[in-house]
Amino acid sequence: MTPVIEVESLWTQFGDHVVHRDLNLVVMPGEVVSLVGGSGSGKTTLMRQILGLEQPTRGTVKVFGIPLQGSSAQLVQKIRKRWGVLFQEGALYSALSVFDNIALPLRELRAFDEDFIGDMVMLKLDMVDIERRHASKMPADLSGGMIKRIALARALVLEPELVLIRSLHQKLNLTVVMVTHDLDTLVSLSHKIAVLAEQQLIVYGSLKEAIAVQHPFILNFFLGERGLRALSAVGASVKLSGKD
Amino acid sequence: MQQPSAPAVLEPEVRQARAADGAAAAALSGAWDIRALESRARLLKSQLRQLAADPGRHWDLSRIQRLDHIGALLIWQAWGKRRPAQLALAHRHEVFFSNLDSAAAAVPAAPFDPLRLVRALGAAMLLTAEHLLGMVRLIGQILIDSFGLIRHPLRGPWREISASLFRVGTQALGITALVGFLIGVVLSYLSAEQLKAFGANIFIINLLGMGIIRELGPVIAAVLVAGRSGSAITAQLGVMRVTEELDALSVMGIPHTVRLILPKIVALAIAMPLLILWTSGIALIGGALAANTQLGISVHSFFIGLPGAVPTVNLWLAMGKGVVFGALIALIACHFGLRVQPNTESLGIGTTNSVVTSITAVIVADAIFAVIFSDVGISLS
């Protein structure tokens, strides 16, 4: 099976400041990967590089086996139709209604008629638990939580194979890469955890593997009071040996 | 280039077939997902519609290799939005159709409202009243803050005033000079043609002096500043609303009016008369140069004759206008800036409204000045 995402010996440098040092990451189809790390550890930069919004200093990022750097614009455009991206604040177009926001990617394809698009939008609204009467509202009239769910509906409307997201609150049967600080979703939804610290992935594996690593960030993040509570909620066994 | 992640999947296909009992059937196979359907949706839709016209037809979907909601919806719509009686479906594809089954009826369209126009008119009037009320409230708050400033001058936002003064004043010198100069040249050329016809060459000084110093200089400078600084102020306050900076200031107990609005009004009230002086000066230089080439009046004699042709009180009147125009532009820009809702659409509308309103207000104020001071500074000495 071809990996969905393949990051190979990636270096990112801003002037003298090294953000990623020879970083490698492989995401296989169907995996839900959580990307965690302290602030300034380069999570957002890595995410933006996977999305092709930023260029790494060195190394390659392949999505669906196609390198984002050096591929033709048409090919990159094709990749962009196969993933769904959910931005932190939803990033709905404020000039368009909820309906038109979700219909936008479908209309861009010019393959389906309005009748079909209408039913599809309603179906996606149902799937993210938004009542249909909100379809004609403008994003400004909605709460932040609703905006995020509608943005998820928009991200899912083209039936993507991969979803890149900041904090997920609902199970999706897709390949998912998410940046999150929310321990509850991280513990309950993700298959693999990638911990970004000291310019590299210090762990990339299951939750058990992650918490076994002795690193100040991991100790703080997973084995602090909040972390232990989230872990005990899912019954993960936690070994605290070696901690003073 | 091939897509390595996709295994070999057949194209979506729909065929007429016969069921085991000899009834008419339709067999679907291949990939029925968005990637495959993107280019064939219309053709497949019409084929499905034709087959679905027979209500007793058996449907065999078990050989579909890949399905997603797009494909499922295409088929479901052809069925008339309900499952046919005879349907063979792979278990893993069941979920797509069960999602569609549970989907409720579409939302009804909004009923026609015969009073729509009346309602719109009423809403517009209420909005205008709301704007006026908001403006009055803002002016009141600014006055209260000004008294506070007079009582405790050390606590005043002097750094902000200085920064605003630089932005709205110093940085506007270039554009006002360019526009002023060109207006002076054009006005002088046009007037010179007419005056030459009557042999009244020397009156170019009166015409340009009075026109530019009393009317054109102030209005041009004010329109430029409204477009340049007014829009910037509205956009800045609007973005501060979008990024919640305004709310952050409020919860820290720092009033917007003192830190953000008062400095802008004070700065524009100071900068505007000076900009008017500068614009009028440059416009007169442009006019004098054009008069020199057109009418042979030397630049030196133009400026020697100017104080005799235009009473000095006109200059003070222009400066007074400047203070009023500056304060008006800043007030309107701040008013619209504070009303911006936290979304990008509202930001664009707010900025447009701010500039249109402040230019209109400047021209209305200029007309009021013209009426009130109609017998001041007009008579020649």
Side-chain angles (χ1 to χ4, degrees):
Chain A
M1 251 193 308
T2 319
V4 177
I5 296 174
E6 229 179 327
V7 177
E8 276 172 20
S9 47
L10 177 103
W11 287 70
T12 310
Q13 244 172 301
F14 294 122
D16 287 341
H17 177 57
V18 179
V19 182
H20 304 127
R21 187 190 301 274
D22 197 24
L23 187 144
N24 294 286
L25 174 76
V26 176
V27 179
M28 299 304 288
E31 282 184 338
V32 176
V33 175
S34 289
L35 195 57
V36 295
S39 55
S41 61
K43 301 184 296 287
T44 307
T45 308
L46 181 60
M47 200 74 154
R48 288 177 64 83
Q49 284 166 344
I50 294 173
L51 290 171
L53 296 173
E54 271 176 45
Q55 296 282 328
T57 317
R58 249 182 292 160
T60 52
V61 178
K62 286 188 195 168
V63 180
F64 305 119
I66 299 163
L68 288 178
Q69 288 81 31
S71 288
S72 69
Q74 281 168 318
L75 204 57
V76 173
Q77 207 56 33
K78 259 190 186 159
I79 297 176
R80 291 191 161 153
K81 283 184 187 168
R82 292 173 66 185
W83 71 33
V85 181
L86 182 58
F87 287 88
Q88 195 162 16
E89 303 298 332
L92 294 182
Y93 292 105
S94 45
L96 298 180
S97 68
V98 167
F99 184 97
D100 291 334
N101 259 292
I102 301 175
L104 186 69
L106 271 178
R107 286 188 177 140
E108 278 295 300
L109 288 183
R110 295 175 200 288
F112 304 104
D113 53 33
E114 274 303 308
D115 184 35
F116 182 89
I117 290 171
D119 278 350
M120 198 66 204
V121 170
M122 291 305 161
L123 176 67
K124 293 291 165 181
L125 280 178
D126 290 345
M127 286 169 70
V128 295
D129 279 331
I130 296 280
E131 284 176 51
R132 293 177 170 209
R133 61 189 171 89
H134 297 305
S136 56
K137 288 190 178 163
M138 300 304 279
D141 303 328
L142 303 170
S143 71
M146 285 170 79
I147 285 180
K148 279 187 190 164
R149 275 186 283 157
I150 290 159
L152 178 64
R154 186 178 68 175
L156 295 179
V157 78
L158 289 189
E159 303 286 332
E161 294 152 62
L162 163 69
V163 172
L164 296 127
I165 211 168
R166 267 179 171 274
S167 276
L168 178 68
H169 295 288
Q170 150 173 26
K171 201 167 185 289
L172 301 171
N173 290 319
L174 296 164
T175 316
V176 178
V177 176
M178 63 171 156
V179 172
T180 187
H181 287 290
D182 182 5
L183 275 157
D184 294 325
T185 45
L186 185 140
V187 167
S188 59
L189 291 178
S190 49
H191 305 144
K192 272 181 155 180
I193 292 165
V195 181
L196 200 56
E198 287 152 18
Q199 297 117 29
Q200 275 175 326
L201 288 185
I202 55 167
V203 196
Y204 181 45
S206 67
L207 182 66
K208 260 190 183 161
E209 287 167 338
I211 56 180
V213 174
Q214 295 294 314
H215 187 277
F217 174 78
I218 292 182
L219 289 178
N220 256 321
F221 187 73
F222 291 103
L223 307 178
E225 197 192 326
R226 271 182 57 228
L228 286 175
R229 205 164 46 223
L231 290 173
S232 66
V234 292
S237 62
V238 182
K239 261 170 68 182
L240 287 169
S241 60
K243 195 185 173 193
D244 300 328
Chain B
M1 186 163 174
Q2 65 189 94
Q3 294 175 356
S5 70
V9 177
L10 296 172
E11 291 186 355
E13 203 179 19
V14 48
R15 280 181 302 108
Q16 288 205 49
R18 288 268 155 213
D21 59 355
L28 278 65
S29 59
W32 286 73
D33 64 1
I34 184 163
R35 245 59 63 187
L37 293 172
E38 200 181 324
S39 51
R40 309 179 185 85
R42 287 178 205 282
L43 177 70
L44 289 169
K45 187 174 182 172
S46 65
Q47 287 178 349
L48 287 171
R49 281 264 154 92
Q50 275 176 5
L51 292 175
D54 173 6
R57 191 180 289 278
H58 291 227
W59 288 83
D60 179 12
L61 274 55
S62 59
R63 271 178 294 162
I64 289 181
Q65 285 170 292
R66 276 212 311 246
L67 185 68
D68 63 8
H69 282 111
I70 300 270
L73 180 60
L74 202 69
I75 301 165
W76 196 66
Q77 278 196 333
W79 287 341
K81 302 189 181 181
R82 59 176 182 275
R83 286 183 193 227
Q86 298 294 328
L87 173 65
L89 182 64
H91 181 67
R92 63 198 158 96
H93 293 152
E94 178 63 39
V95 59
F96 299 109
F97 288 98
S98 58
N99 279 341
L100 286 164
D101 286 336
S102 60
V107 186
F112 175 71
D113 181 6
L115 289 176
R116 198 164 48 90
L117 282 177
V118 181
R119 258 185 246 282
L121 182 69
M125 283 168 70
L126 285 176
L127 187 68
T128 312
E130 202 191 317
H131 271 294
L132 287 175
L133 203 69
M135 197 77 96
V136 169
R137 203 176 287 147
L138 188 63
I139 293 172
Q141 188 61 48
I142 295 290
L143 284 178
I144 293 170
D145 292 338
S146 309
F147 288 128
L149 191 63
I150 293 165
R151 267 191 291 153
H152 307 284
L154 284 179
R155 280 192 225 157
W158 302 112
R159 287 174 65 92
E160 285 92 337
I161 291 178
S162 158
S164 299
L165 207 49
F166 176 73
R167 270 200 296 273
V168 301
T170 316
Q171 292 186 332
L173 289 177
I175 185 68
T176 46
L178 178 71
V179 174
F181 184 82
L182 292 177
I183 293 274
V185 170
V186 170
L187 200 64
S188 183
Y189 261 108
L190 281 175
S191 316
E193 287 303 314
Q194 305 298 318
L195 290 173
K196 235 194 272 179
F198 295 101
N201 290 7
I202 196 66
F203 284 103
I204 188 90
I205 305 175
N206 300 52
L207 199 63
L208 283 188
M210 194 60 106
I212 288 173
I213 293 173
R214 194 178 162 107
E215 282 299 328
L216 271 180
V219 170
I220 287 168
V223 167
L224 282 175
V225 168
R228 192 185 166 279
S229 307
S231 59
I233 290 171
T234 307
Q236 189 201 359
L237 289 176
V239 172
M240 288 179 87
R241 168 76 70 208
V242 175
T243 56
E244 297 186 314
E245 285 169 63
L246 290 180
D247 299 333
L249 282 176
S250 294
V251 296
M252 285 191 281
I254 300 168
H256 307 150
T257 42
V258 177
R259 285 290 144 192
L260 295 175
I261 296 171
L262 191 64
K264 292 182 168 60
I265 293 178
V266 173
L268 263 174
I270 296 171
M272 201 65 226
L274 300 175
L275 277 177
I276 286 174
L277 212 58
W278 162 260
T279 311
S280 301
I282 302 272
L284 285 174
I285 291 173
L289 288 174
N292 191 12
T293 54
Q294 283 291 93
L295 302 172
I297 297 170
S298 76
V299 174
H300 182 253
S301 53
F302 185 97
F303 283 104
I304 291 291
L306 194 60
V310 184
T312 325
V313 66
N314 284 297
L315 198 61
W316 294 114
L317 183 60
M319 303 277 274
K321 280 184 184 182
V323 176
V324 173
F325 291 174
L328 255 181
I329 292 169
L331 253 177
I332 291 170
C334 290
H335 168 75
F336 279 99
L338 290 176
R339 285 177 60 92
V340 167
Q341 301 297 310
N343 66 75
T344 44
E345 181 79 348
S346 168
L347 183 62
I349 295 173
T351 312
T352 309
N353 285 345
S354 158
V355 173
V356 171
T357 312
S358 53
I359 290 177
T360 313
V362 160
I363 290 171
V364 169
D366 189 61
I368 295 172
F369 266 100
V371 172
I372 296 176
F373 296 99
S374 56
D375 52 357
V376 177
I378 300 284
S379 57
L380 291 172
S381 53

